[in-house]
Amino acid sequence: MKKDIDNRADIISLVDTFYQNVALNKQIGPIFTDIAKVDWSHHLPKMYDFWESILFGKAIYKGNPMLSHFALNERTPLQHEQFETWKNLFFHNVDDLFEGPNAELIKQKAQSIADLMHFKINSPQSKIKIV
């Protein structure tokens, strides 16, 4: 039986595994590696903080994911297909590693965040220019 997501070490395991799979994914991997040119040594600790804040309510994440995704959308359109791929990878990684109430909750949170981000990025009134 798999364990639930209980602490930061579990978040780190999930995030590391997830982004390894993202980097290898043919559809969204190039967005991270070729377009955004993500510095994983900088990005991963931010994602640990982000998901620990989201799942456990710890106010440790500093940043604005919407602004960075708006800027990325200026360089390459982030459409429904990319968000669906991201969500599917995330859900599969959670299910491969964990089970329990927190595992279900993090998937719900990821769904909500991705859907809201997709809506804001792609709604006509949100077409703001990032300079």
Side-chain angles (χ1 to χ4, degrees), residues 16-80:
D16 286 350
T17 302
F18 171 65
Y19 280 107
Q20 287 169 5
N21 289 322
V22 163
L24 297 173
N25 183 274
K26 291 182 191 312
Q27 185 172 13
I28 64 173
I31 296 171
F32 286 82
T33 57
D34 300 335
I35 297 167
K37 298 190 186 316
V38 171
D39 174 354
W40 297 108
S41 66
H42 178 72
H43 186 68
L44 292 176
K46 288 175 79 171
M47 292 299 92
Y48 306 151
D49 290 349
F50 177 80
W51 286 111
E52 191 172 7
S53 296
I54 294 296
L55 188 60
F56 300 126
K58 295 185 176 183
I60 56 176
Y61 174 73
K62 306 291 184 240
N64 186 332
M66 279 308 308
L67 284 180
S68 58
H69 287 83
F70 270 117
L72 181 57
N73 188 61
E74 289 290 315
R75 295 165 63 197
T76 187
L78 301 176
Q79 298 296 319
H80 176 77

Side-chain angles (χ1 to χ4, degrees), residues 21 44 68 74 94 107-108 115 130:
N21 289 322
L44 292 176
S68 58
E74 289 290 315
V94 172
K107 291 189 298 186
Q108 292 170 7
D115 290 349
I130 305 294

